[in-house]
Amino acid sequence: MTTAHVTCPLCEATCGLEVTLDENQQVTRVKGDEKDVFSKGYICPKGASLGALHHDPDRLAAPLLKRDGEFVEVSWQEAYDEIDRRLPPILEQHGRDAVAVYAGNPGVHNIALTLYGRVLYKALGTKNFYSATSVDQMPKHFSAGAMFGDPLAIPVPDLDRTKHLLILGANPLVSNGSLMTAPDIRGRLRGIRNRGGKIVVVDPRRTRTAAFADEHHAIRPGTDALLLFALLNVLFAENLVQPGRLEAHLNGLDDVRELARPFTPEAVAPRTGIDAAAIRRMARELTADNAVVYGRIGTTTQAFGTVASWLVDVLNVLTGNLDEPGGAMFPLAACQPTGNRRPFAVGRWRSRVRGYPEVVGELPVATLADEIETPGDGQVRALITVSGNPCLSTPNAGRLAAALERLDFMISVDVYLNETSRQADVILPGPSPLERPHFDLAFYQLSVRNVANWTPATLPTELPQEWETMLRLTGIVTGQGPEADVAALDDFVAAETARRNGLAVTGDRTGPARLVDLLLRAGPYDVTLADLEAAPHGMDFGPLKPRIPEVLCTASGRIELAPEPIVADVPRLCAELERPLDDGLVLIGRRHLSSNNSWMHNLEPLIRGGNRCTVLVHPEDASRLGLTDGALASVTSRAGKLEVPVEVTDEVRPGVVSIPHGWGHDVDGSRTRVARANPGVNSNLVADETLLDVPSGTSVLNGIPVEVAPV
Ligand SMILES: Nc1nc2c(c(=O)[nH]1)N[C@H]1C(S)=C(S)[C@@H](COP(=O)(O)OP(=O)(O)OC[C@H]3O[C@@H](n4cnc5c(=O)[nH]c(N)nc54)[C@H](O)[C@@H]3O)O[C@H]1N2
Ligand SMILES: Nc1nc2c(c(=O)[nH]1)N[C@H]1C(S)=C(S)[C@@H](COP(=O)(O)OP(=O)(O)OC[C@H]3O[C@@H](n4cnc5c(=O)[nH]c(N)nc54)[C@H](O)[C@@H]3O)O[C@H]1N2
Ligand code: SF4
Ligand SMILES: [Mo]
């Protein structure tokens, strides 16, 4: 028996786990690592299923090549030969933009894909870069970029010291936290209570987090920006604005005061569904010391995602809670992002068909189908998906799935043959989480405590590491063919990383380990990878510290409270105040503790407990529409239609229905036996790809107008 200490790569919480293996290298137990400096023994059902994931017989063990419509296992050589035969001619004949990339969420939890994916994407040089970010947190990058100058400078709630937490559109007791890396959310929320603090949740559904909170406001979906503006309006009206130390670092305070003027509590109350007196009280409570506002995916994947994300931080600034202990703070990761911090810019190019502006180097995935379907110069003819399942996770998924069939060539770098990769011509699999080293480059930048933990690979693997796969593909798209010298490419990447950080490459490490070592050496804590290797339970660099002004990289060197590209969207919100009240049904999503977006439904331990893919309907709506608990209902939107079992519950507010995303596994040609037997329905069949948060191009996945009827 052996025991390994690993950081769980399955969500943002970065829990330390203890994995026990028998002499046959079978995982016999996974438990929380009590000595982990950050998670202290916490584990959730997903982490506990790391063994099931590792041993899943459906996980791909060799590359797959489609021959006459059927996948066959081939050698890596054959797979790359096929790619070399088919991809470069498309680039040569139709240009770089003819090849699109879709990068999915697990790539952010995978150092090989994070560090070497960017090498491939840069070498490819396509404007058609898409990712899960435009169905997720892009509005937050937008607001951070516009306000602080750096799209990665996202302040996080200082959870362990706050005494008043206002949560909008997040359910961290289930999601385990997002844009807020914090293992054991329940323990940390309890800590707020024990300090005599208060938790307020704004969510159309009485989630676990809402039920745990001291106060819950069931807001109408998509109206958070109105509510947040009204909170500001109250602060100005009651003379409660007190930015404190930050006053010297602000631009645009008067502009914000003017912008907030129309949004009185009375004006927004009927639209948000939260009464004016409650709004006034919520605003006053934010002026307490150690208060913080936190907004997550319910506030980003909606019609006013960017404005809402911006207002969250404006409120934190104006209540004196930004960059203060107990407020919203900027983590300082052991590996900081590299590259020159140029002032934030958007719209450097536009999508060809709909003219959507580029944001942080990407285009909205909502328009990928347009780009594939519409002929002309720059039409997308090939697609590389890297750890993504857009056929389940992006809006109007039915249309996208049909569009993929029209591609001349498609590659999926993926561990399963699933709803998306089945459309590929070549699938390149990667090792399991236990077969690769791990380091949470992205999430330590969002962590409520500055920590770092390096995980070496627990088990050997026959599969190439995914950084090598990325470099092989880089070799092909740069015309070096499948025989490109991967070691030389890797040396080049390391030399570039070193140069940008003013360091020299030393030692005999290769791959991500060498890059992480360089980034650590360049980082703020005077540690090397060897130090982390000697600390299997992680290193703790302490609580978050104030970082303003050092963290700011706006052109002015100040916080831009009223940045032009966001202010430009406020008239669209003002128009909402004039619109007649609409009482049609709207659809929102939800997450379950035992699932991970679309891709962990193939694990028996996570699928137990009955069908979770139902539509939640309030009893009043159910009786009005003739819907009965357990019976099937049809849900129809502009984009499509689906049928799903009804669950009648007063958890959701009237006028709101909820279906989780990531289901719909009953498609032909996938090889996920457990998931196919428990398919659920794909909620993104009804998500409307034409509904976007305008500045950021993020899809509206919450607040989709739908009709629901008995089947
Ligand atoms: N309606 C609705 N839609 C949503 C959301 C919502 O709330 N509502 N949420 C959105 C959000 S927040 C996100 S992040 C996206 C997620 O969207 P995606 O990133 O597109 O989807 P995932 O379900 O994360 O699927 C990831 C894919 O990566 C593969 N994979 C897993 N591990 C690895 C690995 O180690 N290597 C490789 N190469 N592949 C791997 C899986 O097999 C799967 O095919 O979905 C979005 N879609
Ligand atoms: N178990 C589990 N954990 C996960 C994931 C998973 O699939 N399963 N996915 C991971 C990923 S990729 C992400 S991005 C994070 C997301 O992490 P969270 O943001 O915490 O995710 P959700 O649970 O979807 O919470 C969003 C909440 O917003 C509410 N909501 C919907 N519309 C609105 C609205 O208009 N206004 C307001 N105020 N609220 C609204 C929903 O009811 C829901 O409770 O979770 C991560 N963790
Ligand atoms: S909370 Fe997240 S990091 Fe922790 S065990 Fe669960 S999935 Fe893994
Ligand atoms: Mo996400």
Side-chain angles (χ1 to χ4, degrees):
M1 291 234 288
T2 52
T3 306
H5 294 101
V6 308
T7 305
C8 176
L10 297 174
C11 89
E12 301 180 34
T14 73
C15 299
L17 305 181
E18 195 177 287
V19 178
T20 311
L21 301 133
D22 68 14
E23 59 280 8
N24 300 319
Q25 300 191 326
Q26 294 287 307
V27 176
T28 53
R29 192 176 69 172
V30 181
K31 67 189 235 349
D33 174 9
E34 272 154 33
K35 294 198 196 124
D36 185 276
V37 295
F38 195 23
S39 61
K40 303 196 161 91
Y42 181 78
I43 186 170
C44 85
K46 283 188 290 175
S49 69
L50 263 185
L53 173 60
H54 176 72
H55 296 298
D56 184 353
D58 287 335
R59 215 163 44 75
L60 299 179
L64 297 181
L65 182 67
K66 203 178 266 162
R67 280 204 191 117
D68 305 322
E70 295 286 326
F71 278 112
V72 288
E73 278 197 8
V74 294
S75 68
W76 285 87
Q77 182 69 46
E78 285 170 280
Y80 286 125
D81 285 345
E82 176 76 359
I83 293 170
D84 192 49
R85 196 173 64 77
R86 297 182 63 184
L87 192 60
I90 296 172
L91 290 166
E92 273 151 37
Q93 280 171 36
H94 302 288
R96 312 305 285 185
D97 297 340
V99 179
V101 170
Y102 174 81
N105 171 277
V108 189
H109 300 260
N110 178 321
I111 32 170
L113 295 179
T114 310
L115 290 169
Y116 291 82
R118 65 175 74 137
V119 177
L120 171 63
Y121 311 146
K122 192 155 184 227
L124 195 55
T126 177
K127 292 197 177 81
N128 281 302
F129 183 86
Y130 303 85
S131 89
T133 302
S134 58
V135 280
D136 190 346
Q137 81 285 7
M138 189 60 96
K140 203 68 213 181
H141 292 306
F142 196 115
S143 69
M147 293 177 78
F148 311 122
D150 179 352
L152 297 178
I154 295 175
V156 303
D158 185 15
L159 216 50
D160 296 339
R161 290 181 289 186
T162 190
K163 284 174 82 175
H164 185 89
L165 175 61
L166 171 58
I167 302 179
L168 303 103
N171 185 12
L173 281 186
V174 165
S175 67
N176 280 301
S178 182
L179 301 186
M180 171 174 81
T181 285
D184 187 14
I185 294 283
R186 186 176 291 272
R188 290 175 203 268
L189 293 187
R190 234 185 249 128
I192 298 176
R193 282 261 171 75
N194 294 344
R195 290 191 289 282
K198 178 171 176 181
I199 302 159
V200 180
V201 170
V202 174
D203 195 304
R205 182 163 77 95
R206 193 175 62 251
T207 60
R208 274 194 202 190
T209 309
F212 181 91
D214 301 279
E215 201 172 292
H216 170 216
H217 299 279
I219 193 169
R220 292 185 57 204
T223 64
D224 297 79
L226 295 173
L227 170 67
L228 292 161
F229 250 137
L231 296 176
L232 268 183
N233 179 291
V234 174
L235 294 179
F236 283 116
E238 300 190 1
N239 251 325
L240 297 172
V241 169
Q242 42 178 11
R245 174 177 69 88
L246 294 186
E247 188 121 36
H249 302 285
L250 298 182
N251 274 344
L253 182 55
D254 292 335
D255 298 326
V256 170
R257 184 196 316 265
E258 281 313 306
L259 290 169
R261 225 177 269 286
F263 300 95
T264 60
E266 282 70 19
V268 309
R271 289 166 200 280
T272 57
I274 303 175
D275 70 59
I279 294 172
R280 289 208 162 78
R281 190 167 43 76
M282 279 163 94
R284 289 171 197 145
E285 286 178 354
L286 288 179
T287 61
D289 281 346
N290 312 111
V292 64
V293 187
Y294 163 68
R296 196 46 196 103
I297 202 164
T299 63
T300 57
T301 52
Q302 56 141 293
F304 293 94
T306 299
V307 170
S309 297
W310 161 64
L311 290 173
V312 163
D313 287 330
V314 172
L315 279 166
N316 285 326
V317 171
L318 295 192
T319 53
N321 289 309
L322 186 85
D323 205 40
E324 288 292 329
M329 300 192 80
F330 298 95
L332 184 63
C335 293
Q336 284 292 301
T338 54
N340 50 352
R341 298 159 89 207
R342 262 171 280 150
F344 178 69
V346 293
R348 290 168 294 177
W349 61 87
R350 285 183 174 264
S351 70
R352 182 180 59 105
V353 179
R354 294 196 181 261
Y356 294 137
E358 156 274 344
V359 180
V360 204
E362 30 186 300
L363 293 172
V365 69
T367 197
L368 176 55
D370 296 315
E371 296 294 329
I372 298 171
E373 289 167 357
T374 314
D377 241 16
Q379 181 180 8
V380 168
R381 293 161 191 274
L383 173 67
I384 308 176
T385 65
V386 178
S387 65
N389 195 2
C391 290
L392 293 192
S393 42
T394 69
N396 203 340
R399 179 177 169 202
L400 181 66
L404 296 189
E405 288 178 17
R406 300 161 62 156
L407 292 169
D408 293 340
F409 190 54
M410 177 172 158
I411 303 170
S412 284
V413 180
D414 206 284
V415 295
Y416 284 110
L417 169 47
N418 65 11
E419 301 77 14
T420 297
S421 60
R422 77 189 170 113
Q423 307 246 41
D425 298 286
V426 185
I427 308 178
L428 304 175
S432 96
L434 296 179
E435 296 165 337
R436 61 174 194 243
H438 180 74
F439 184 79
D440 277 296
L441 265 185
F443 300 108
Y444 294 142
Q445 286 169 35
L446 297 163
S447 180
V448 304
R449 224 181 142 81
N450 291 316
V451 295
N453 204 334
W454 170 262
T455 303
T458 304
L459 291 168
T461 171
E462 304 278 295
L463 287 169
Q465 293 291 329
E466 292 192 288
W467 62 272
E468 297 175 49
T469 306
M470 293 293 107
L471 291 182
R472 283 256 169 256
L473 292 173
T474 302
I476 291 174
V477 304
T478 52
Q480 303 170 60
E483 312 302 335
D485 184 346
V486 163
L489 284 172
D490 184 33
D491 287 343
F492 176 77
V493 172
E496 271 300 291
T497 307
R499 188 187 58 76
R500 263 187 275 125
N501 289 290
L503 294 167
V505 179
T506 53
D508 52 10
R509 295 183 196 273
T510 58
R514 174 162 58 179
L515 301 189
V516 169
D517 187 46
L518 282 166
L519 294 173
L520 286 169
R521 286 171 196 272
Y525 296 116
D526 192 26
V527 289
T528 66
L529 186 53
D531 297 324
L532 288 185
E533 283 169 331
H537 310 288
M539 288 180 85
D540 181 16
F541 305 111
L544 307 185
K545 296 199 179 83
R547 289 191 60 196
I548 286 178
E550 159 266 319
V551 73
L552 302 175
C553 54
T554 48
S556 63
R558 291 167 166 238
I559 299 172
E560 295 297 346
L561 272 187
E564 186 280 327
I566 297 179
V567 170
D569 199 34
V570 175
R572 191 169 63 97
L573 184 68
C574 289
E576 287 295 295
L577 291 178
E578 309 301 323
R579 268 215 324 192
L581 274 174
D582 170 359
D583 57 5
L585 280 182
V586 292
L587 172 68
I588 63 169
R590 69 181 187 272
R591 284 175 160 73
H592 190 277
L593 194 56
S594 296
S595 74
N596 201 11
N597 296 321
S598 75
W599 70 276
M600 290 184 74
H601 296 145
N602 205 48
L603 307 180
E604 290 280 3
L606 294 184
I607 211 86
R608 283 180 207 134
N611 181 13
R612 304 192 296 259
C613 187
T614 58
V615 60
L616 307 184
V617 184
H618 189 274
E620 285 170 20
D621 292 322
S623 68
R624 181 169 55 86
L625 299 165
L627 300 167
T628 43
D629 196 76
L632 270 187
S634 66
V635 179
T636 314
S637 74
R638 191 207 61 83
K641 182 174 178 176
L642 55 80
E643 292 184 359
V644 62
V646 173
E647 205 174 323
V648 177
T649 169
D650 67 0
E651 250 177 47
V652 282
R653 59 166 284 143
V656 174
V657 296
S658 164
I659 308 177
H661 75 286
W663 298 88
H665 303 296
D666 49 346
V667 297
D668 290 335
S670 62
R671 199 180 292 168
T672 49
R673 275 161 282 192
V674 178
R676 288 186 65 161
N678 302 272
V681 293
N682 181 354
S683 71
N684 279 317
L685 293 173
V686 295
D688 185 340
E689 81 281 22
T690 65
L691 299 179
L692 298 183
D693 166 48
V694 172
S696 72
T698 305
S699 293
V700 174
L701 303 172
N702 287 294
I704 303 162
V706 288
E707 277 166 24
V708 183
V711 171

